[in-house]
Amino acid sequence: MTGQRFDLVLFGGTGDLAARKLLPALYTRHRFGDIDAASQIVATARQNLSDKQFRALMREKVVPHVPKADYDDAAWQKFEAQVGYVGTDANNAKSFAQLRARLIDEPERARVFFLATAPALFTHICAHLAAAGCVTPATRVVLEKPLGRDLESSCAINNAVGAIFAEDRIYRIDHYLGKESVQNLLALRFGNAMFEPLWSRAWVRDVQITIAETVGAEGRGEFYDATGVLRDMIQSHLLQLLCIVAMEPPASIHPDAVRDAKLQVLRALKRFTPNEVATRTVRGQYKAGAVDGQPVPGYLDEPGIKPASHTETFVAIKADLGNWRWAGVPFYLRTGKRMQERRAEIVINFHNVPHAILDVSGSARTNNRLIIRLQPEDGLSLDIQAKTPGEGMRVQSVSLDLQFEDELKARRLDAYERLLMDVIRGRLTLFMRRDELEAAWSWVEPIMHAWAAAGEPPKAYTAGTWGPAASSALIGRDNLAWLEEA
Ligand code: NAP
């Protein structure tokens, strides 16, 4: 067995995230030999369970979420022998003594607390961990999003956690950063010389970032209705993708070099005035429709949603960066639930040739376009103009396509597999620093305030479409269109 020995304590160990993502990811890394045999995983929640009872619960709730190709019963038995359970109530300081007794004191052993609970509990958990003597200077803490619902509440959480843990011991998860495809974006930009000279306003006309989901709010209605897509997706995933697309090449892959470069992007994002919010943002909410041929209810008819709720399930934004590289290049961001397809992609549209001498009348488009696909599969395609066979000098657009899965046959890690191993090994590059998070909230807040002041309901769109018509109009006013074909 290889690697760093560790104690990993999983708060929220009986919750949905633990069952669907965290424990399957730990099992898989265990199966592939990344978890030292002397390491232990201690799940905790308020329920009183013995180790044996928790292992039985894992068989029922966690095993169904392990990909079939990765499941092996003998491997599972070895994994579960390293998993225990301690009942702990975040609101009861005394209950932390039992947890303290489970931790192993060894200088070389990493100690990680993963907080997969409601963020309202983070402050209590950190304070009680410290009071019970569980925190050493080398202890790491992992915080699941959402970290607050605005700048003030985010600062309150960061202050409370920061009172116990130094900044370089805090791992704030944005699981998008753990995706293989997002890592590939870093490889594309900083592992190839040919893109960098083109990566600026001189050659790029516009950038589109889309994360479209086909699922609705089902199952998480109450959480979703109190949150909305601006807080849930734009403030985190879309802004992080924008940072990776737009950042200056960092001097190294060192966490602070990368995070400094991302922070500069967030600080360059122009803040909207209330008038600009009205013209540069679109908020929508889905009504009943059909997704993949199946009828689905409207948002207001989903369980847990307040009657006449104004919570948005779709947002489109035209953002601008105030810096030399990107001045004048619109960055269009779009994300929503119950959309036509599950798709996440970044489209870089280059300018047309400065002087046209060829017949482009048969071409679907005349500019070059780079599409970086993140979901459902990761891939790259580059649209170029090629000569149409036959007489005359006519050109048409064709695509150079690369599917990473076909090209690189190795097994791909789930985002949580990578992120959990990064925490255990002390690698911070893929986690958000406090100043990044706060810069993101500072940009999003004027949008939240202007929407609240206007008091208008979101624009309705039919489930199974690409969002409200106003979203097409937002980009159409610039004589552009969203990429929506397959
Ligand atoms: P969940 O299913 O409601 O689980 C919450 C967990 O916290 C349970 O294990 C619960 O167990 C425990 N808990 C509740 N109150 C507690 C207390 N006072 N002391 C100790 N433990 C307590 O929630 P989840 O969906 O797993 O989400 C957890 C966090 O991850 C949330 O912040 C969520 O926003 C975030 N997140 C979730 C997902 C997802 O896909 N689920 C994705 C991204 C982020 P007991 O009730 O037995 O104590």
Side-chain angles (χ1 to χ4, degrees), residues 11-21 44-47 85 88-91 115-119 121-122 125 144-146 175 220 223 416:
F11 283 87
T14 57
D16 176 69
L17 187 66
R20 284 193 309 110
K21 293 287 181 187
T44 113
R46 285 170 302 183
Q47 245 177 302
Y85 181 91
T88 314
D89 182 348
N91 294 314
L115 311 194
T117 66
L121 299 177
F122 291 177
I125 293 175
E144 253 303 334
K145 73 160 205 168
H175 74 267
R220 299 184 79 205
F223 161 79
Y416 278 102

